[in-house]
Amino acid sequence: MYKKLYRSRTERMIAGVCGGIANYFEIDPTLVRLGWVFATFLGGSGILAYIICAIVIPLEPIE
């Protein structure tokens, strides 16, 4: 069975993007958030990527 990427409803700070990516790869959401902050400070592309992901990745369905 395959996995699908969703924005998280429970592990969210802003839009649930980092929580959803962490759930997909089965890692700690804090590590994903730190990586995103690091990418933002490197060139600012992290902010644009987060906004695009928040628009494109669907919200996790209610179970």
Side-chain angles (χ1 to χ4, degrees):
M1 184 170 208
Y2 66 93
K3 293 194 283 186
K4 189 168 180 183
L5 178 62
Y6 292 109
R7 289 185 292 133
S8 177
R9 288 186 182 269
T10 56
E11 290 290 333
R12 65 186 318 168
M13 293 216 144
I14 298 174
V17 173
C18 292
I21 292 171
N23 286 339
Y24 184 81
F25 290 111
E26 298 176 357
I27 58 175
D28 186 30
T30 305
L31 295 174
V32 178
R33 290 182 185 115
L34 287 173
W36 217 286
V37 168
F38 185 68
T40 300
F41 286 132
L42 280 179
S45 61
I47 295 170
L48 180 61
Y50 192 91
I51 292 169
I52 291 170
C53 287
I55 295 169
V56 173
I57 299 173
L59 191 59
E60 183 177 35
I62 299 173
E63 295 180 358

